[in-house]
């Protein structure tokens, strides 16, 4: 299912259900010093779904599986085989 944004009526119904007067009330416990204004981020202009999907796919293609290189998990963790239990 694709992401479908909420309508203003959807948001109002959800806020009403939990008794919040608005979205800001959901974040009232976040200290003002921890709130970063959106203008502080260097974000690109809006993009369509296809552009975003391509960008995220390109980013994801840079991931490397753990077994593709040295694995320093530590604590005695290593690849091993656990035999299935026999059912009698």
């Amino acid at each position: 299912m694709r992401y479908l944004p909420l309508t203003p009526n959807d948001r109002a119904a959800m806020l009403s259900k939990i008794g919040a007067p608005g979205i800001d009330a959901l974040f009232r416990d976040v200290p003002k010093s921890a709130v970063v204004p959106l203008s502080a981020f260097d974000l690109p202009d809006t993009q369509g779904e296809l552009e975003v999907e391509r960008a995220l796919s390109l980013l994801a293609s840079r991931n490397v599986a753990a077994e593709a290189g040295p694995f320093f998990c530590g604590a005695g963790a290593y690849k091993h085989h656990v035999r299935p239990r026999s059912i009698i």
Side-chain angles (χ1 to χ4, degrees), residues 5 19 26-27 51 60 74 79:
L26 301 177
F27 303 99
E51 290 84 11
K79 291 183 182 180

Side-chain angles (χ1 to χ4, degrees):
M1 181 172 153
R2 296 286 183 190
Y3 170 73
L4 300 172
L6 300 173
T7 66
N9 288 341
D10 292 335
R11 285 187 195 94
M14 290 168 47
L15 290 168
S16 173
K17 187 73 170 180
I18 63 172
I23 296 291
D24 292 336
L26 301 177
F27 303 99
R28 70 174 177 251
D29 294 331
V30 177
K32 297 293 182 210
S33 61
V35 177
V36 179
L38 188 58
S39 60
F41 298 100
D42 183 23
L43 298 173
D45 290 335
T46 58
Q47 295 180 340
E49 181 179 1
L50 186 58
E51 290 84 11
V52 172
E53 188 174 344
R54 285 179 180 160
L56 291 177
S57 292
L58 182 62
L59 183 63
S61 72
R62 295 172 39 197
N63 289 334
V64 178
E67 66 265 4
F71 194 71
F72 302 106
C73 186
Y78 53 90
K79 291 183 182 180
H80 60 279
H81 174 75
V82 177
R83 294 181 7 177
R85 290 181 13 174
S86 298
I87 299 176
I88 299 176

